[in-house]
Each structure stands twice: as C-alpha cells, then as structure tokens.
C-alpha cells in the first residue's frame, strides 16, 4: 500500500512537471514563431487556426476512428447554439488576442497582465449575479489590481497596443468562464468546442490576415516545425487533462502560479525584448499574493458548502475542465 501511494505521488509530480514544461514551452514556442525573423510568420490568427484544425483532426481520429475518447450524446441544436457557440467564440477571442499581444509586448509582461484575470472574472460575476461583493473580496481585488499597475509602471518597453490586445484576451477568458458557469455547469453538460473555435477563428482570419498572407508571399515555416508546434499544443491539452484528473483544485492553482513565475523568469533569458526590473517583479509579486488570497478564498468557500452539493460541484467542475480545450 505504501509503495502504491509513493508511486502515485511520483506520477502526480511527473504530470505537474509535464504540464509546467509544456505550458511554458508552448508560450515560448508561439512567441518565437510569431516574432522570429527566421520564420517570418507574424500571423497570430493563422497560427491559432492551424492549432485548432490540427486538434480537431486529432480529436476526430480519437473519437470516431479509434474510439478512444467518448463524445457527448444528445447535443441538440438549441443547446449547441446557446452553449457551445458562445463559449467557443470567447475561447477563440482569448487565443487570438492573447497570441497577437506577443507581437507587441514581451512574454513576461503578458504574463504579468494576465494576473488581473481574477478581477475580470469577479467583476463580470458580480454583474451576472454569480458573485457577491464583500469587503474582503474588494480588498483582494484591490491588491491584485495594485500589483498589476505597479508591474506595468515598471515596464521599460511598454506598448499600449499590446496591452489592449492582452487585456482583450483577459476579458474574453473571463467571459468564457462566466459562460461556462451559466450555460454548462448549471446544465450538467460536457462540451468540447474545438471545431467551433476553429470556425470562429476562420471568419476573422479571412478578413484580417488572409490577404496579408497572400501578398506577403512565401515564408520560412518548415512543415516539420509547423507540425511540431501544433503537436505541442495538443500535448499541452493532454497534460492539462492528466493534471486535472490526478490532482486537487488547490494543486492545479499552485501549479499555475509556479508556471507563471517560470515563464516570467525564463523569458528574460530567452528573449531580447524582455527586460525585467525590480519594480516589475515587486508588482508581479503583489499581484500573485492577491491571486493566492483569491484562490484560498474560493477553495474555502467551496469546502464550506453542503458535502453533497460540494461533491456535485467538484464532479461537474472536473468534468468540464477535463475536456480537451485549447490552451495558450
């Protein structure tokens, strides 16, 4: 029994390290592809669309041909239109705007701006009637906001276009989480809107990037490198699935914070456009402290629920999170 627990513990840490490595690596990979002069492929919509097409094909093979994964039955057109499409559209918006931000701002600064996510989710949650304003939450939101402002003040090469794109991605992700709460968790549905995301990306790509790509002519994007980039995205989604199914909600949140710090610190070594300052790091540290307080508050709130309700909520939450959804 002790050996079995030890083996499970080692396996859990292996999954966490795999998630952190793949998540950080994919961010660096996308940044390099989009901004590298060697590849010359500054098309975030096109790159994200390729990721989604690749994931859709792989999911089709796994579910329809190999039948390794099961798909949700009984999906009506009404449910698809009112649940899948809005969530898929918001996810597409998040991926598009977030990847576009890498053309204008450093990876480290983008991660710092992402720390504002709990504030966006909470504000939209209050507006939708899902959250209740309290002095404690107001204090936590103020700490996070202060930290992000300090980190932004310390940014040497700030580009406001990139900031707008990144904040737009944050709003898109916050809306997606709110829609998940309203349309999915409360209905007990399981969704995998990868094909919808691909469609939502295809439409703006036609109008915004296709003509530029046609006029630009050939680019140095080797097919092997393209396939590897898409494969890394899919592998990241699999690692998220493994982490969620083998760990707790607290472990996932801690792993996310560790990953963010890894990305911030490593990007200063890997990319010339990243120049961290003491003010940057202090501001990000304040924001992360606020995020940790927010996560702790949410976990305690869930733990204080009626045991049967909490069990249903955890099962529904894990079921939703374990779907293969694109991650950037």
């Amino acid at each position: 029994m002790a050996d079995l627990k030890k083996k499970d513990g080692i396996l859990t840490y292996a999954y966490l390290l795999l998630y952190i490595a793949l998540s950080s690596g994919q961010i660096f990979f996308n940044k390099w592809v989009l901004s590298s002069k060697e590849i010359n492929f500054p098309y975030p919509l096109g790159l994200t669309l390729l990721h989604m097409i690749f994931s859709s094909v792989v999911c089709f093979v796994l579910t329809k041909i190999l039948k390794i994964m099961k798909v949700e039955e009984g999906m009506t057109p009404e449910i698809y239109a009112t649940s899948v499409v809005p969530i898929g559209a918001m996810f597409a918006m998040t991926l598009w705007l977030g990847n576009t931000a890498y053309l204008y701002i450093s990876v480290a600064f983008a991660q710092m701006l992402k720390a504002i996510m709990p504030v966006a989710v909470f504000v939209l949650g209050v507006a939708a009637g899902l959250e209740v304003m309290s002095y404690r939450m107001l204090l936590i939101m103020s700490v996070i906001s202060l930290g992000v402002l300090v980190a932004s003040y310390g940014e040497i090469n700030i580009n406001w276009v990139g900031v707008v794109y990144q904040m737009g991605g944050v709003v898109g992700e916050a809306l997606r989480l709110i829609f998940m709460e309203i349309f999915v968790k409360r209905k007990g549905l399981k969704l995998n809107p990868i094909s919808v995301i691909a469609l939502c990306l295809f439409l703006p790509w036609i109008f915004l990037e296709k003509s530029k790509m046609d006029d630009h002519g050939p680019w140095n994007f080797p097919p092997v490198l393209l396939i590897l980039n898409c494969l890394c995205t899919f592998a990241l989604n699999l690692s998220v699935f493994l982490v969620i199914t083998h760990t707790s909600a607290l472990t996932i949140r801690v792993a996310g914070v560790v990953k963010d710090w890894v990305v911030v610190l490593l990007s200063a070594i890997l990319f010339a456009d990243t120049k961290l300052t003491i003010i940057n790091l202090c501001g990000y540290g304040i924001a992360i402290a606020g995020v940790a307080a927010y996560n702790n508050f949410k976990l305690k709130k869930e733990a204080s629920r009626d045991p049967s309700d909490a069990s249903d909520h955890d099962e529904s939450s894990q079921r939703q999170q374990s779907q293969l959804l694109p991650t950037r």
Side-chain angles (χ1 to χ4, degrees):
M1 182 65 70
D3 291 339
L4 183 60
K5 288 184 177 180
K6 183 178 180 181
K7 184 179 179 181
D8 290 341
I10 294 174
L11 198 60
T12 298
Y13 281 113
Y15 289 145
L16 288 171
L17 290 174
L18 179 65
Y19 160 71
I20 292 172
L22 285 174
S23 182
S24 305
Q26 186 62 35
I27 291 173
F28 297 145
F29 203 165
N30 287 346
K31 169 69 174 180
W32 179 63
V33 168
L34 292 170
S35 59
S36 171
K37 293 181 180 179
E38 291 83 4
I39 296 179
N40 196 23
F41 194 84
Y43 306 109
L45 262 174
L47 182 65
T48 311
L49 179 59
L50 289 172
H51 291 165
M52 294 304 100
I53 292 174
F54 182 87
S55 296
S56 297
V57 172
V58 174
C59 284
F60 178 82
V61 172
L62 293 177
T63 58
K64 299 297 184 180
I65 299 178
L66 300 179
K67 296 184 178 180
I68 296 176
M69 296 169 54
K70 293 182 179 180
V71 294
E72 182 73 1
E73 302 293 340
M75 184 67 69
T76 65
E78 180 182 359
I79 293 176
Y80 200 84
T82 59
S83 301
V84 180
V85 172
I87 292 171
M90 289 303 101
F91 217 141
M93 174 180 168
T94 300
L95 296 171
W96 164 26
L97 297 180
N99 281 331
T100 303
Y102 291 144
L103 295 175
Y104 302 95
I105 59 178
S106 67
V107 170
F109 188 44
Q111 291 298 121
M112 293 177 186
L113 291 176
K114 276 193 223 176
I116 201 72
M117 178 69 69
V119 177
V121 174
F122 181 74
V123 171
L124 291 173
V126 171
L130 302 176
E131 299 282 356
V132 178
M133 181 64 73
S134 66
Y135 288 113
R136 184 173 182 180
M137 287 303 294
L138 185 60
L139 176 61
I140 292 174
M141 296 301 109
S142 299
V143 170
I144 297 175
S145 301
L146 175 63
V148 173
L149 285 174
V150 172
S152 301
Y153 179 78
E155 180 66 14
I156 297 175
N157 300 317
I158 191 168
N159 185 304
W160 291 106
V161 175
V163 172
V164 170
Y165 274 119
Q166 184 61 48
M167 297 309 292
V170 168
V171 172
E173 176 66 4
L175 286 172
R176 182 187 74 85
L177 294 174
I178 295 298
F179 287 166
M180 288 283 289
E181 181 70 28
I182 296 175
F183 298 141
V184 179
K185 289 183 182 178
R186 293 187 176 185
K187 295 180 181 179
L189 302 174
K190 292 194 291 184
L191 305 179
N192 188 1
I194 291 180
S195 58
V196 176
I197 297 171
L199 178 62
C200 292
L201 290 168
F202 179 76
L203 295 177
W205 174 77
I206 288 291
F207 294 103
L208 298 177
E209 285 189 357
K210 184 178 183 302
S211 60
K212 295 179 182 178
M213 294 175 70
D214 292 339
D215 295 339
H216 188 276
W219 51 81
N220 302 319
F221 203 158
V224 175
L225 196 60
L226 172 61
I227 294 174
L228 181 61
N229 185 257
C230 294
L231 191 60
C232 284
T233 300
F234 190 77
L236 173 57
N237 293 325
L238 285 178
S239 73
V240 172
F241 172 82
L242 292 172
V243 168
I244 288 173
T245 54
H246 289 84
T247 63
S248 65
L250 176 60
T251 305
I252 296 168
R253 286 175 166 88
V254 172
V257 172
V258 172
K259 183 265 296 182
D260 290 340
W261 273 109
V262 168
V263 171
V264 168
L265 297 177
L266 280 183
S267 63
I269 301 173
L270 297 175
F271 298 103
D273 66 346
T274 302
K275 300 186 186 307
L276 297 177
T277 66
I278 297 298
I279 298 178
N280 269 146
L281 295 175
C282 288
Y284 189 53
I286 293 172
I288 289 299
V291 171
Y294 172 79
N295 289 336
N296 183 61
F297 178 80
K298 296 294 287 185
L299 288 171
K300 285 185 176 179
K301 184 177 179 181
E302 291 177 6
S304 65
R305 294 180 178 181
D306 181 75
S308 60
D309 292 340
S311 176
D312 293 341
H313 179 272
D314 291 341
E315 182 181 352
S316 174
S317 178
Q318 183 166 340
R319 189 170 61 241
Q320 294 308 322
Q321 292 176 351
S322 63
Q323 300 303 305
L324 289 180
L325 293 174
T327 308
R328 62 180 176 90

